[in-house]
């Protein structure tokens, strides 16, 4: 049985102008030691789906699912107190903005030791020793001194390392990394991704990597789930996904990769992810899809079978017939 | 930090000069003549009047009078009261502890009730407690002090007879006052019931004076908390599995305190203004009552010197608050 199992997850936000479905019937599985990438443009509901699973959404959100379980805990019925024993310990998450995700009023040492003290009940001395060890593990130089620094005294990359150290403090079974490198410089990005992969190798934890960048996916992931406008529209292991994407949206994302560009200008996907007011009636991608026809605009496609990467499309690409012909 | 304090002290110089000038001018633009007031019912002959005017220096041009006063101030000499003939400086520091005691009690009341109230309101945003508290705060904020004091006196002193109406302690107690703080001195005197009497005298003035700061602090805490609760680091704390109590009272409150402390510092000025009224209503022998009495007597040295000292106190408090702000906000401290 998989470590994380989600079936038919939907999230609705109550907004001033009515209900808005940010996540729409998403299935997800993550196994121990596996790296799953969730990819899609901004506004696809990637963050919201994982925040829903963590129980971190504001009260305006209504979360429904047929099943949502992690490591033997039923996250749909779990009590608040019990959830707090799991979240932050076995199930950890890091965020896009390391600077604003750390509390400016406390030293980073205080912030990491808090996790150790509350979840593991370590003594002062043991907390300190473990904090130093964790800082070393995530590659923070001069850990003793850094422990007494405030977040604003360090770079974004260093702060993200602190966030990672904090997240892995209790040796979690699953780490959710929500765009961990988006706010960082390119060189730092690669370092952080290497760090996350090597931590997965050392600790054997599952890793969910949320990103909008297919380049990051190519470097890091093993399995890829593509999300669009709240729906999961395709899922494949990374190699076949890059070789033969089945959903036109996935194909368009791949075409937008700089190294794949054949023309001088980078092909981009025209238009934007539909929001609350411009949700199309049929296939959610139809306004931007170059293969769209009248059927696409009228009916919602159901997911295809696993051999076609569960693609939510009436006319999946790279089917065997097309390859053959 | 030292540089910071020094630069702040430097900005005091023009403020100090301005306050000296304004306090000097304030009492003189009020209609009324101190010599006539002093003479009272009996009146004064023109001869005697001119003699007194010369003695007080009123016959010289205004700018000379001011320069005299200002150079005196620089040497620490605020002059003597027209009425008691005692140095203004001495009178001020005899009476100041009474005002300080009352103001501190009012501030403690405002903070001890206002902070938790603001936090609870923010956490329960839009619910009954929040609405009830914020309407109460609005009422408290806009209630005239005078009216509020009378209401409390009628109910608690008049109808219920629980609290005394005036003074700092029952007249039957007498003991030395080394600190000037009635709570401390009464306790130190060892006299039975003295401390309790001092407390009962403090209750109503404290409530009256503390009401506005209480309302301000509660509202400011609430809005600061609401802002902070939406920050990323609060989400991080929840992702760490911390309890709501811990998140609200440690992670969020610590950040929300930064604007709240500023407001507390700013309300010290309002507090002293309120103290003047409160002391007058409750016959509290502090500098507020002293100032009001002196204005009626046109006691120029007391009014101008008292105003100046009060202004200096406010400046000192503001500087202290600034440094406290640096302590609580690491971003400023390390700069
Ligand atoms: N608290 C919220 N209230 C209302 N709408 C929200 C809220 N949080 C996110 N959304 C909306 O949900 C959609 C998905 O957001 P998100 O999951 O953050 O996208 P991304 O894939 O970029 O992570 C967006 O359209 C966003 O505007
Ligand atoms: S269903 Fe039609 S519009 Fe939607 S992705 Fe497939 S081809 Fe494009
Ligand atoms: Mg996101």
């Amino acid at each position: 049985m998989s470590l994380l199992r989600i079936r038919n997850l939907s999230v609705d936000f109550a907004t001033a102008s009515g209900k808005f479905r940010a996540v729409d019937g998403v299935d997800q599985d993550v196994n121990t030691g596996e790296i799953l990438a969730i990819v899609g443009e901004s506004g696809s509901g990637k963050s919201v789906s994982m925040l829903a699973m963590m129980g971190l959404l504001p009260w305006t959100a209504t979360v429904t699912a047929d099943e949502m379980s992690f490591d033997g805990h039923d996250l749909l019925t779990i009590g608040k107190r019990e959830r707090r024993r799991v979240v932050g310990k076995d199930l950890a998450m890091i965020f896009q903005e390391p600077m604003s995700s750390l509390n400016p009023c406390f030293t980073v040492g205080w912030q990491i030791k808090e996790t150790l003290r509350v979840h593991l009940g370590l003594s002062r001395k043991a907390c300190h020793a473990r904090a130093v060890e964790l800082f070393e593990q995530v590659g923070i130089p001069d850990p003793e001194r850094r422990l007494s620094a405030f977040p604003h005294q360090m770079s974004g990359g260093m702060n993200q390392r602190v966030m990672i150290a904090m997240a892995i403090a209790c040796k979690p079974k699953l780490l959710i990394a929500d765009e961990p490198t988006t706010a960082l410089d390119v060189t730092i990005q690669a370092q952080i991704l290497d760090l996350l992969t090597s931590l997965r190798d050392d600790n054997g934890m599952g890793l969910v990597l949320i990103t909008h960048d297919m380049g990051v996916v190519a470097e890091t992931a093993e399995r890829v789930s593509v999300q669009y406008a709240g729906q999961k529209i395709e899922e494949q292991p990374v190699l076949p996904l890059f070789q033969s994407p089945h959903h036109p949206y996935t194909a368009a994302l791949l075409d937008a990769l700089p190294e794949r560009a054949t023309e001088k200008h980078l092909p981009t996907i025209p238009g934007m992810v539909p929001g609350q007011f411009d949700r199309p009636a049929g296939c959610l991608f139809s306004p931007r899809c170059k293969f769209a026809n009248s059927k696409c605009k009228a009916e919602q496609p159901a997911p295809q079978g696993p051999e076609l990467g569960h693609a939510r499309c009436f006319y999946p690409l790279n089917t065997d017939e097309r390859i053959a012909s | 930090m030292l540089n910071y304090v020094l630069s702040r002290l430097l900005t005091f110089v023009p403020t100090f000069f301005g306050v000296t000038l304004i306090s000097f001018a304030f009492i003189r633009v009020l209609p009324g003549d101190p010599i006539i007031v002093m003479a009272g019912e009996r009146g004064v002959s023109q001869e005697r009047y001119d003699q007194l005017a010369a003695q007080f220096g009123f016959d010289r041009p205004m700018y000379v009078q001011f320069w005299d006063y200002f150079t005196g101030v620089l040497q620490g000499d605020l002059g003597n009261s027209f009425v008691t003939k005692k140095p203004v400086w001495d009178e001020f520091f005899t009476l100041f502890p009474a005002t300080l005691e009352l103001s501190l009690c009012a501030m403690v009341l405002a903070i001890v009730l206002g902070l938790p109230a603001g936090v609870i309101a923010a956490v329960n945003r839009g619910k009954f407690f929040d609405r009830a508290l914020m309407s109460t705060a609005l009422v408290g904020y806009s209630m005239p002090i005078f009216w509020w004091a009378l209401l409390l006196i009628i109910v608690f002193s008049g109808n219920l007879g629980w609290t005394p109406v005036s003074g700092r302690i029952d007249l039957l107690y007498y003991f030395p006052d080394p600190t000037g703080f009635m709570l401390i001195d009464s306790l130190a005197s060892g006299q039975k019931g003295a401390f309790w009497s001092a407390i009962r005298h403090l209750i109503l003035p404290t409530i009256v004076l503390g009401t506005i700061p209480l309302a301000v602090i509660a509202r400011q805490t609430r809005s600061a908390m609401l802002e902070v609760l939406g920050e990323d680091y609060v989400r991080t704390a929840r992702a760490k599995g911390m309890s709501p109590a811990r998140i609200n009272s440690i992670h969020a409150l610590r950040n929300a305190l930064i604007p709240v402390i500023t407001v507390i510092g700013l309300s010290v000025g309002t507090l002293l203004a309120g103290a003047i009224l409160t002391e007058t209503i409750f016959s509290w022998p502090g500098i507020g009552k002293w100032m009001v009495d002196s204005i009626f007597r046109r006691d120029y040295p007391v009014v101008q010197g008292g105003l100046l000292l009060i202004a200096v106190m406010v400046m000192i408090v503001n500087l202290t608050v600034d440094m406290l702000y640096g302590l609580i906000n690491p971003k400023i401290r390390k700069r």
Side-chain angles (χ1 to χ4, degrees):
Chain A
M1 205 186 119
S2 50
L3 181 62
L4 176 69
R5 188 178 153 89
I6 297 175
R7 287 295 172 271
N8 196 22
L9 169 69
S10 295
V11 179
D12 291 297
F13 283 107
T15 69
S17 43
K19 236 165 113 177
F20 170 54
R21 177 150 286 206
V23 176
D24 188 5
V26 166
D27 296 349
Q28 218 66 271
D29 288 276
V30 187
N31 291 311
T32 306
E34 182 193 31
I35 302 184
L36 168 74
I38 303 181
V39 68
E41 285 165 291
S42 164
S44 307
K46 309 182 296 290
S47 302
V48 169
S49 60
M50 286 300 117
L51 290 172
M53 189 269 294
M54 299 277 295
L56 293 178
L57 287 175
W59 60 272
T60 49
T62 313
V63 178
T64 54
D66 294 345
E67 186 183 347
M68 187 152 68
S69 66
F70 166 74
D71 191 31
H73 303 277
D74 182 355
L75 297 178
L76 288 171
T77 57
I78 196 168
K80 285 181 181 169
R81 197 175 283 267
E82 201 189 339
R83 184 193 284 273
R84 288 205 300 272
R85 276 201 287 273
V86 178
V87 164
K89 186 166 178 274
D90 295 332
L91 179 55
M93 184 159 182
I94 61 173
F95 304 96
Q96 178 168 350
E97 296 286 343
M99 283 296 196
S100 59
S101 294
L102 286 164
N103 194 317
C105 279
F106 297 95
T107 64
V108 294
W110 185 92
Q111 299 187 50
I112 189 170
K113 287 175 196 170
E114 180 186 40
T115 302
L116 294 167
R117 203 173 57 243
V118 170
H119 284 299
L120 306 178
L122 296 187
S123 70
R124 260 178 82 96
K125 244 173 122 176
C127 272
H128 186 80
R130 176 79 177 127
V132 170
E133 192 179 287
L134 283 162
F135 271 25
E136 273 166 1
Q137 198 179 353
V138 299
I140 297 176
D142 200 358
E144 288 277 356
R145 204 169 54 82
R146 285 302 168 104
L147 279 175
S148 53
F150 287 93
H152 69 272
Q153 296 168 318
M154 303 201 296
S155 67
M158 274 303 147
N159 278 321
Q160 194 60 291
R161 284 177 198 267
V162 171
M163 284 295 291
I164 295 172
M166 228 154 67
I168 63 163
C170 307
K171 297 212 164 76
K173 296 178 177 157
L174 180 64
L175 173 64
I176 318 285
D178 187 355
E179 311 244 8
T181 60
T182 305
L184 305 177
D185 291 344
V186 185
T187 48
I188 313 288
Q189 278 188 20
Q191 291 174 11
I192 296 286
L193 289 177
D194 283 348
L195 172 64
L196 286 172
T197 335
S198 75
L199 286 173
R200 190 280 310 254
D201 297 342
D202 298 346
N203 296 1
M205 63 185 183
L207 177 62
V208 174
L209 182 71
I210 298 177
T211 178
H212 64 266
D213 184 348
M214 271 293 185
V216 168
V217 174
E219 270 172 56
T220 324
E222 292 160 359
R223 203 153 48 81
V224 186
S225 158
V226 186
Q227 230 168 281
Y228 183 78
Q231 294 182 334
K232 182 167 100 174
I233 51 98
E234 175 162 12
E235 183 193 313
Q236 285 202 68
V238 66
L239 276 180
L241 184 97
F242 274 69
Q243 276 164 5
S244 49
H246 295 304
H247 196 284
Y249 178 61
T250 315
L253 280 180
L254 290 170
D255 285 341
L257 275 174
E259 50 271 38
R260 292 209 172 186
T262 44
E263 306 153 43
K264 228 159 119 203
H265 295 289
L266 216 58
T268 51
I269 314 174
M272 272 175 23
V273 182
Q276 183 174 1
F277 304 107
D278 50 359
R279 244 175 128 78
C283 170
L284 292 180
F285 189 53
S286 57
R288 304 167 72 186
C289 180
K290 55 183 172 190
F291 307 109
N293 62 16
S294 54
K295 183 181 179 188
C296 302
K297 296 201 156 71
E299 281 174 56
Q300 283 233 4
Q304 300 279 352
E307 72 289 350
L308 289 171
H310 306 278
R312 267 187 197 261
C313 174
F314 293 121
Y315 313 107
L317 311 174
N318 299 315
T319 56
D320 290 339
E321 303 107 81
R322 289 201 199 179
I323 291 169
S325 62
Chain B
M1 193 72 196
L2 188 67
N3 274 345
Y4 178 64
V5 175
L6 284 180
S7 70
R8 280 302 309 259
L9 282 176
L10 218 60
T11 65
F12 278 6
V13 174
T15 320
F16 184 79
F17 181 79
V19 169
T20 315
L21 185 61
I22 290 170
S23 58
F24 178 85
F26 161 73
I27 185 70
R28 281 170 178 77
V29 298
L30 289 184
D33 184 326
I35 297 176
I36 306 283
V37 175
M38 260 186 281
E41 301 268 299
R42 277 181 300 128
V44 65
S45 69
Q46 187 60 43
E47 231 169 290
R48 177 73 182 135
Y49 182 95
D50 293 340
Q51 194 188 347
L52 281 172
Q55 186 190 326
F56 292 137
F58 293 160
D59 53 345
R60 291 175 304 157
M62 208 52 108
Y63 66 86
V64 177
Q65 288 184 45
F66 176 71
W67 186 249
D68 257 16
Y69 171 59
F70 189 65
T71 49
V73 166
L74 289 185
Q75 291 158 28
D77 176 14
L78 293 173
N80 292 6
S81 160
F82 286 163
V83 179
T84 64
K85 315 291 181 211
K86 282 196 242 157
V88 171
W89 184 270
D90 293 356
E91 290 211 326
F92 183 90
F93 283 101
T94 314
L95 297 171
F96 188 60
T99 301
L100 193 60
E101 183 172 48
L102 175 58
S103 306
L104 280 179
C105 287
M107 215 26 148
V108 168
L109 175 83
I111 293 173
V112 165
L113 295 183
L115 275 185
V119 171
I120 297 174
V123 172
N124 297 294
R125 172 184 205 173
K127 300 206 186 121
F128 176 76
F129 180 84
D130 181 28
R131 284 158 197 256
L133 189 88
M134 283 309 114
S135 337
T136 316
L138 193 64
V139 172
Y141 184 70
S142 34
M143 189 146 44
I145 287 193
F146 204 80
W147 186 83
W148 178 222
L150 286 183
L151 188 75
L152 288 176
I153 289 176
I154 289 170
V155 173
F156 290 101
S157 306
N159 295 354
L160 296 170
W162 288 353
T163 51
V165 192
S166 71
R168 296 177 78 190
I169 195 151
D170 283 341
L171 287 176
L172 59 104
Y173 297 104
Y174 185 77
F175 41 81
D177 51 350
T179 65
F181 291 94
M182 197 54 88
L183 289 180
I184 300 175
D185 293 339
S186 63
L187 208 58
S189 76
Q191 290 182 25
K192 219 168 148 262
F195 183 63
W196 177 233
S197 170
I199 288 190
R200 289 196 352 176
H201 279 79
L202 252 174
I203 291 177
L204 286 194
T206 299
I207 293 177
V208 168
L209 186 54
T211 298
I212 289 180
L214 169 59
V216 171
I217 291 174
R219 290 179 70 92
Q220 180 64 48
T221 306
R222 174 182 181 270
S223 70
M225 277 295 285
L226 281 181
E227 190 170 329
V228 165
L229 285 175
E231 294 284 349
D232 285 353
Y233 51 78
V234 169
R235 184 182 60 190
T236 305
R238 295 205 290 140
K240 281 163 80 178
M242 297 301 141
S243 67
R246 200 182 160 83
I247 293 172
N248 293 330
S249 63
I250 300 180
H251 292 255
L253 183 60
R254 179 66 189 272
N255 285 277
L257 273 184
I258 295 171
V260 172
I261 288 211
T262 316
V263 163
I264 292 178
L266 288 177
S267 60
V268 167
T270 335
L271 198 70
L272 285 177
I276 294 182
L277 211 58
T278 312
E279 289 181 1
T280 312
I281 298 168
F282 290 95
S283 305
W284 190 264
I287 49 167
K289 187 167 177 314
W290 176 60
M291 293 296 296
V292 172
D293 293 345
S294 303
I295 290 173
F296 283 120
R297 293 188 200 121
R298 298 292 182 277
D299 195 341
Y300 287 5
V302 169
V303 176
Q304 66 197 16
L307 281 178
L308 179 63
L309 287 175
I310 291 175
V312 170
M313 291 293 166
V314 172
M315 288 194 270
I316 291 175
V317 169
N318 284 347
L319 181 68
T320 317
V321 168
D322 270 359
M323 288 193 297
L324 206 61
Y325 193 87
L327 272 186
I328 202 147
N329 186 354
K331 282 192 192 171
I332 291 191
R333 193 188 323 165
K334 301 282 162 139
R335 212 157 38 202

